[in-house]
PDB file of all heavy atoms in Angstrom:
ATOM      1  N   LYS A 257      11.659   1.646  -0.054  1.00 90.00           N
ATOM      2  CA  LYS A 257      12.208   3.013   0.133  1.00 90.00           C
ATOM      3  C   LYS A 257      13.760   3.091  -0.211  1.00 90.00           C
ATOM      4  O   LYS A 257      14.190   3.964  -0.942  1.00 90.00           O
ATOM      5  CB  LYS A 257      12.034   3.436   1.578  1.00 90.00           C
ATOM      6  CG  LYS A 257      12.702   4.786   1.989  1.00 90.00           C
ATOM      7  CD  LYS A 257      12.438   5.128   3.380  1.00 90.00           C
ATOM      8  CE  LYS A 257      13.132   6.303   3.831  1.00 90.00           C
ATOM      9  NZ  LYS A 257      12.928   7.484   3.064  1.00 90.00           N
ATOM     10  N   LYS A 317      17.670   9.747  13.984  1.00 36.00           N
ATOM     11  CA  LYS A 317      17.168  10.567  15.042  1.00 36.00           C
ATOM     12  C   LYS A 317      15.687  10.693  14.911  1.00 36.00           C
ATOM     13  O   LYS A 317      15.145  10.560  13.813  1.00 36.00           O
ATOM     14  CB  LYS A 317      17.860  11.918  15.028  1.00 36.00           C
ATOM     15  CG  LYS A 317      19.345  11.922  15.250  1.00 36.00           C
ATOM     16  CD  LYS A 317      19.965  13.244  15.095  1.00 36.00           C
ATOM     17  CE  LYS A 317      21.462  13.233  15.288  1.00 36.00           C
ATOM     18  NZ  LYS A 317      22.090  14.525  15.123  1.00 36.00           N
ATOM     19  N   LYS A 318      14.943  11.110  15.957  1.00 32.00           N
ATOM     20  CA  LYS A 318      13.556  11.092  15.939  1.00 32.00           C
ATOM     21  C   LYS A 318      12.943  12.022  14.833  1.00 32.00           C
ATOM     22  O   LYS A 318      12.053  11.645  14.072  1.00 32.00           O
ATOM     23  CB  LYS A 318      12.972  11.590  17.234  1.00 32.00           C
ATOM     24  CG  LYS A 318      11.406  11.513  17.329  1.00 32.00           C
ATOM     25  CD  LYS A 318      10.906  11.925  18.706  1.00 32.00           C
ATOM     26  CE  LYS A 318       9.368  11.663  18.778  1.00 32.00           C
ATOM     27  NZ  LYS A 318       8.612  12.359  17.754  1.00 32.00           N
ATOM     28  N   LYS A 319      13.516  13.170  14.660  1.00 31.00           N
ATOM     29  CA  LYS A 319      13.080  14.070  13.633  1.00 31.00           C
ATOM     30  C   LYS A 319      13.193  13.495  12.225  1.00 31.00           C
ATOM     31  O   LYS A 319      12.289  13.548  11.446  1.00 31.00           O
ATOM     32  CB  LYS A 319      13.826  15.416  13.685  1.00 31.00           C
ATOM     33  CG  LYS A 319      13.345  16.464  12.738  1.00 31.00           C
ATOM     34  CD  LYS A 319      14.107  17.753  12.879  1.00 31.00           C
ATOM     35  CE  LYS A 319      13.594  18.808  11.883  1.00 31.00           C
ATOM     36  NZ  LYS A 319      14.347  20.068  11.977  1.00 31.00           N
ATOM     37  N   GLU A 320      14.331  12.757  12.000  1.00 35.00           N
ATOM     38  CA  GLU A 320      14.524  12.181  10.688  1.00 35.00           C
ATOM     39  C   GLU A 320      13.573  10.992  10.440  1.00 35.00           C
ATOM     40  O   GLU A 320      13.097  10.818   9.374  1.00 35.00           O
ATOM     41  CB  GLU A 320      16.024  11.669  10.548  1.00 35.00           C
ATOM     42  CG  GLU A 320      16.951  12.882  10.478  1.00 35.00           C
ATOM     43  CD  GLU A 320      18.384  12.414  10.501  1.00 35.00           C
ATOM     44  OE1 GLU A 320      18.679  11.428  11.284  1.00 35.00           O
ATOM     45  OE2 GLU A 320      19.161  13.003   9.789  1.00 35.00           O
ATOM     46  N   ILE A 321      13.217  10.278  11.542  1.00 32.00           N
ATOM     47  CA  ILE A 321      12.256   9.212  11.355  1.00 32.00           C
ATOM     48  C   ILE A 321      10.896   9.753  10.967  1.00 32.00           C
ATOM     49  O   ILE A 321      10.205   9.246  10.100  1.00 32.00           O
ATOM     50  CB  ILE A 321      12.129   8.362  12.690  1.00 32.00           C
ATOM     51  CG1 ILE A 321      13.432   7.591  12.976  1.00 32.00           C
ATOM     52  CG2 ILE A 321      10.893   7.457  12.616  1.00 32.00           C
ATOM     53  CD1 ILE A 321      13.443   6.897  14.272  1.00 32.00           C
ATOM     54  N   ASP A 322      10.528  10.825  11.646  1.00 36.00           N
ATOM     55  CA  ASP A 322       9.213  11.445  11.281  1.00 36.00           C
ATOM     56  C   ASP A 322       9.126  11.896   9.843  1.00 36.00           C
ATOM     57  O   ASP A 322       8.091  11.722   9.226  1.00 36.00           O
ATOM     58  CB  ASP A 322       9.007  12.694  12.165  1.00 36.00           C
ATOM     59  CG  ASP A 322       8.767  12.316  13.647  1.00 36.00           C
ATOM     60  OD1 ASP A 322       8.468  11.166  13.929  1.00 36.00           O
ATOM     61  OD2 ASP A 322       8.964  13.184  14.477  1.00 36.00           O
ATOM     62  N   VAL A 323      10.225  12.360   9.303  1.00 35.00           N
ATOM     63  CA  VAL A 323      10.257  12.854   7.889  1.00 35.00           C
ATOM     64  C   VAL A 323      10.287  11.678   6.959  1.00 35.00           C
ATOM     65  O   VAL A 323       9.614  11.674   5.903  1.00 35.00           O
ATOM     66  CB  VAL A 323      11.407  13.785   7.633  1.00 35.00           C
ATOM     67  CG1 VAL A 323      11.597  14.135   6.204  1.00 35.00           C
ATOM     68  CG2 VAL A 323      11.269  15.089   8.480  1.00 35.00           C
ATOM     69  N   ASN A 324      11.083  10.636   7.275  1.00 40.00           N
ATOM     70  CA  ASN A 324      11.390   9.632   6.226  1.00 40.00           C
ATOM     71  C   ASN A 324      10.527   8.356   6.329  1.00 40.00           C
ATOM     72  O   ASN A 324      10.607   7.538   5.413  1.00 40.00           O
ATOM     73  CB  ASN A 324      12.876   9.255   6.359  1.00 40.00           C
ATOM     74  CG  ASN A 324      13.767  10.367   5.877  1.00 40.00           C
ATOM     75  OD1 ASN A 324      13.794  10.645   4.655  1.00 40.00           O
ATOM     76  ND2 ASN A 324      14.417  11.074   6.752  1.00 40.00           N
ATOM     77  N   HIS A 325       9.869   8.158   7.459  1.00 43.00           N
ATOM     78  CA  HIS A 325       9.145   6.877   7.586  1.00 43.00           C
ATOM     79  C   HIS A 325       8.028   6.768   6.594  1.00 43.00           C
ATOM     80  O   HIS A 325       7.329   7.729   6.244  1.00 43.00           O
ATOM     81  CB  HIS A 325       8.542   6.801   9.001  1.00 43.00           C
ATOM     82  CG  HIS A 325       7.938   5.439   9.280  1.00 43.00           C
ATOM     83  ND1 HIS A 325       8.728   4.256   9.198  1.00 43.00           N
ATOM     84  CD2 HIS A 325       6.709   4.996   9.551  1.00 43.00           C
ATOM     85  CE1 HIS A 325       7.968   3.233   9.441  1.00 43.00           C
ATOM     86  NE2 HIS A 325       6.727   3.625   9.633  1.00 43.00           N
ATOM     87  N   HIS A 326       7.919   5.566   5.996  1.00 57.00           N
ATOM     88  CA  HIS A 326       6.965   5.314   4.908  1.00 57.00           C
ATOM     89  C   HIS A 326       5.598   4.962   5.543  1.00 57.00           C
ATOM     90  O   HIS A 326       5.348   3.793   5.901  1.00 57.00           O
ATOM     91  CB  HIS A 326       7.466   4.182   4.060  1.00 57.00           C
ATOM     92  CG  HIS A 326       6.822   4.110   2.735  1.00 57.00           C
ATOM     93  ND1 HIS A 326       7.302   3.274   1.728  1.00 57.00           N
ATOM     94  CD2 HIS A 326       5.734   4.690   2.148  1.00 57.00           C
ATOM     95  CE1 HIS A 326       6.544   3.450   0.656  1.00 57.00           C
ATOM     96  NE2 HIS A 326       5.593   4.246   0.899  1.00 57.00           N
ATOM     97  N   ASN A 327       4.695   5.911   5.618  1.00 78.00           N
ATOM     98  CA  ASN A 327       3.471   5.728   6.310  1.00 78.00           C
ATOM     99  C   ASN A 327       2.287   5.315   5.406  1.00 78.00           C
ATOM    100  O   ASN A 327       2.304   5.630   4.218  1.00 78.00           O
ATOM    101  CB  ASN A 327       3.001   7.024   7.109  1.00 78.00           C
ATOM    102  CG  ASN A 327       4.030   7.434   8.142  1.00 78.00           C
ATOM    103  OD1 ASN A 327       4.317   6.582   8.969  1.00 78.00           O
ATOM    104  ND2 ASN A 327       4.513   8.620   8.057  1.00 78.00           N
ATOM    105  N   GLU A 354       2.771   6.485   1.294  1.00 86.00           N
ATOM    106  CA  GLU A 354       3.327   7.721   0.945  1.00 86.00           C
ATOM    107  C   GLU A 354       4.085   7.610  -0.471  1.00 86.00           C
ATOM    108  O   GLU A 354       4.910   6.677  -0.584  1.00 86.00           O
ATOM    109  CB  GLU A 354       4.381   8.266   1.958  1.00 86.00           C
ATOM    110  CG  GLU A 354       3.763   8.802   3.216  1.00 86.00           C
ATOM    111  CD  GLU A 354       4.783   9.354   4.164  1.00 86.00           C
ATOM    112  OE1 GLU A 354       5.918   8.770   4.154  1.00 86.00           O
ATOM    113  OE2 GLU A 354       4.440  10.176   4.979  1.00 86.00           O
ATOM    114  N   LYS A 477      -2.078  15.054   1.311  1.00 94.00           N
ATOM    115  CA  LYS A 477      -1.206  13.900   1.292  1.00 94.00           C
ATOM    116  C   LYS A 477      -1.710  12.895   0.299  1.00 94.00           C
ATOM    117  O   LYS A 477      -1.029  12.014  -0.120  1.00 94.00           O
ATOM    118  CB  LYS A 477      -1.152  13.249   2.702  1.00 94.00           C
ATOM    119  CG  LYS A 477      -0.483  14.087   3.745  1.00 94.00           C
ATOM    120  CD  LYS A 477       1.012  14.309   3.395  1.00 94.00           C
ATOM    121  CE  LYS A 477       1.837  13.087   3.363  1.00 94.00           C
ATOM    122  NZ  LYS A 477       3.266  13.375   2.945  1.00 94.00           N
ATOM    123  N   ASN A 508       6.223  13.876  -2.264  1.00 84.00           N
ATOM    124  CA  ASN A 508       5.977  12.539  -1.643  1.00 84.00           C
ATOM    125  C   ASN A 508       4.417  12.274  -1.450  1.00 84.00           C
ATOM    126  O   ASN A 508       3.964  11.753  -0.462  1.00 84.00           O
ATOM    127  CB  ASN A 508       6.702  12.409  -0.278  1.00 84.00           C
ATOM    128  CG  ASN A 508       6.932  10.965   0.084  1.00 84.00           C
ATOM    129  OD1 ASN A 508       6.976  10.104  -0.770  1.00 84.00           O
ATOM    130  ND2 ASN A 508       7.020  10.720   1.378  1.00 84.00           N
TER     131      ASN A 508
END
Side-chain angles (χ1 to χ4, degrees):
K257 175 180 171 58
K317 296 177 182 178
K318 185 176 188 304
K319 183 177 180 181
E320 291 174 320
I321 291 176
D322 292 342
V323 171
N324 290 287
H325 188 61
H326 198 168
N327 296 309
E354 284 180 334
K477 293 299 296 178
N508 202 25

